Amino acid sequence: VMQDFEMNPMTFAGHKFDLRVWAVVLSLDPLRIHALGTGIPKVNMWTFSNEPRHAKAGCSTHLTMLPCYEQDDPDRLREIIPPRERANGAKLVYPTSTTDEYWFSNVRPQGREFWTRVAWPSVEKAVVEVLLLAREQIIHADHKLKRHGVRYKRILFLSPDVVIDERGNATMVEINVNGYMIGNLHKEYFPIQPQQDAVGSFTGIAGFPLQRHYSAELQRRTASFCRGVLGERGCPLAAELELWEMVHEQMHSSHEWYRLFPRPKSSPLHAAFRTAAFKNSLTPLDK
């Protein structure tokens, strides 16, 4: 696989970073995806420079697992960012979230508005786009199971890595399938055990226990919605079940998890996939 190298990335306090994104595919048709609202930042320990001599060494320009030594750093770009617990008064500490003011004030371009209105929506679009395109190769298996009357729920936990350029455009680097669910293994840098534990709730492992509080109202509203769309005959039972499942997932989401797809019609993400380029990628249930 060949990819363009991003020479003008978004940076954190002058350091190149990429994001590990957590996304869970809950249904193929209709496509339903939940995402964790914070990215998991992986920040280079060298100040970024895209000058040719630094690009050749790779320590400043890549998020590399290769060792970088003092002789590789004649311009003294190496700047270790300690975790907060070991900061010892350092002004710059390793970011553990992309949803707090510390992140918004240190990322460049700077600010909450740029991140929430430009950069993160671009990450969302990149994740949905690749899943819509990949689904085309496997959706026939989902349909075959349903034609045989089989009710099943298989979830797919994905850990995409994305890099973002200085204009806020996200590019998918790779997608890790059933990727590394690290919990608090490296909690100084990535304290995400509660977010990991929350996956079991919205995927229905416990059977959606909160539904007893709203199931009657949900069925009433679903029937009303279906009559409004399809007339008195309403929705087929299979469609009603999908609507109920979507609501259960949303009602049981917590710890920054949210429904990434489908989105409300008012959402820019909804509009992005209602274009001619994707008209053959959406199924009737998606629509």
Side-chain angles (χ1 to χ4, degrees):
V1 177
M2 297 184 67
Q3 295 176 312
D4 289 336
F5 184 79
E6 181 50 62
M7 292 299 293
N8 297 293
M10 205 172 186
T11 58
F12 173 83
H15 294 247
K16 185 176 180 179
F17 68 89
D18 76 7
L19 292 182
R20 172 66 53 86
V21 180
W22 275 5
V24 179
V25 180
L26 296 157
S27 169
L28 281 179
D29 188 14
L31 183 62
R32 290 200 309 277
I33 311 164
H34 275 224
L36 184 62
T38 178
I40 302 169
K42 297 179 291 176
V43 183
N44 197 334
M45 292 293 116
W46 291 53
T47 304
F48 176 74
S49 170
N50 58 11
E51 294 184 19
R53 68 180 188 277
H54 298 140
K56 183 177 179 181
C59 297
S60 170
T61 54
H62 298 289
L63 292 161
T64 177
M65 299 300 291
L66 299 175
C68 292
Y69 302 106
E70 187 174 353
Q71 61 266 28
D72 300 318
D73 189 24
D75 297 325
R76 300 192 179 279
L77 298 178
R78 189 167 184 260
E79 181 186 19
I80 300 299
I81 305 176
R84 194 173 300 276
E85 290 82 353
R86 292 189 273 117
N88 295 323
K91 292 183 179 179
L92 188 64
V93 295
Y94 199 93
T96 59
S97 170
T98 64
T99 58
D100 57 23
E101 291 302 324
Y102 179 67
W103 176 262
F104 300 141
S105 62
N106 282 283
V107 75
R108 296 294 183 277
Q110 189 179 42
R112 175 188 291 269
E113 185 169 355
F114 184 83
W115 183 260
T116 57
R117 296 196 176 204
V118 180
W120 188 254
S122 184
V123 172
E124 294 179 321
K125 183 176 183 294
V127 172
V128 174
E129 180 175 5
V130 74
L131 288 173
L132 278 173
L133 296 174
R135 181 181 67 163
E136 295 174 4
Q137 306 301 315
I138 58 175
I139 197 170
H140 64 90
D142 182 71
H143 291 168
K144 184 177 181 180
L145 285 167
K146 289 176 178 175
R147 282 196 300 270
H148 284 79
V150 177
R151 283 205 70 201
Y152 77 104
K153 183 161 185 174
R154 175 176 291 177
I155 67 169
L156 184 62
F157 188 98
L158 303 175
S159 302
D161 290 327
V162 299
V163 65
I164 306 171
D165 70 18
E166 63 184 1
R167 295 166 298 174
N169 298 317
T171 298
M172 189 71 65
V173 178
E174 63 180 355
I175 290 191
N176 304 288
V177 180
N178 286 334
Y180 192 28
M181 299 176 73
I182 58 176
N184 276 349
L185 185 61
H186 306 292
K187 66 179 180 179
E188 286 185 316
Y189 297 96
F190 313 116
I192 49 178
Q193 188 67 49
Q195 291 89 333
Q196 180 173 304
D197 293 343
V199 174
S201 180
F202 70 79
T203 55
I205 290 175
F208 300 127
L210 297 179
Q211 65 178 295
R212 68 182 186 275
H213 300 296
Y214 61 80
S215 60
E217 181 65 12
L218 172 60
Q219 292 181 35
R220 186 188 69 78
R221 292 195 182 194
T222 302
S224 175
F225 168 78
C226 288
R227 286 194 300 270
V229 174
L230 298 173
E232 283 304 313
R233 62 190 177 94
C235 295
L237 177 59
E240 284 196 334
L241 291 173
E242 294 291 351
L243 289 170
W244 296 344
E245 194 84 353
M246 181 176 68
V247 172
H248 293 331
E249 291 159 357
Q250 187 161 344
M251 293 295 289
H252 289 76
S253 294
S254 61
H255 295 285
E256 298 185 84
W257 286 97
Y258 68 99
R259 191 179 76 233
L260 171 58
F261 191 85
R263 291 289 275 276
K265 288 184 177 181
S266 58
S267 164
L269 189 68
H270 175 92
F273 293 103
R274 293 309 190 272
T275 61
F278 292 97
K279 68 177 182 179
N280 295 324
S281 298
L282 299 177
T283 69
L285 283 175
D286 290 330
K287 297 172 182 177

